[in-house]
């Protein structure tokens, strides 16, 4: 919902969206689905989606989900 609001604001469009995952211990299926939806919405608006500070285990999970 917050991402949708950011994308709807045409006065100052965003070009990058950075998700800091330093405190994420894992990513379950529903979390991965949500991230894929966010990525899709950002891509539709030509916004680059980046994930930062990812733990190795979380990176492996994101890779398995195609993120």
């Amino acid at each position: 919902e917050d991402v949708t609001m950011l994308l709807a604001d045409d006065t100052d469009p965003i070009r990058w969206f950075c998700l800091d995952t330093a405190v994420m211990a894992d990513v379950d299926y529903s979390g991965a689905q949500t991230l894929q939806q966010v990525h899709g919405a950002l891509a539709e608006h030509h916004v680059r989606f980046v994930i930062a500070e990812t733990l190795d285990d979380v990176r492996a999970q994101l890779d398995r989900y195609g993120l």
Side-chain angles (χ1 to χ4, degrees):
E1 184 175 302
D2 292 335
V3 172
T4 304
M5 289 174 39
L6 285 172
L7 294 173
D9 183 6
D10 290 336
T11 58
D12 190 19
I14 61 172
R15 293 184 287 162
W16 287 75
F17 185 88
C18 180
L19 178 63
D20 183 349
T21 61
V23 297
M24 288 177 64
D26 68 350
V27 178
D28 62 11
Y29 179 78
S30 62
Q33 291 294 104
T34 300
L35 289 174
Q36 288 172 339
Q37 290 172 353
V38 167
H39 180 261
L42 293 169
E44 287 177 10
H45 288 84
H46 308 287
V47 176
R48 183 178 295 263
F49 179 46
V50 296
I51 301 174
E53 300 297 325
T54 308
L55 299 172
D56 290 340
D57 290 344
V58 174
R59 177 77 258 161
Q61 292 171 336
L62 292 171
D63 287 343
R64 279 195 297 274
Y65 290 121
L67 296 164

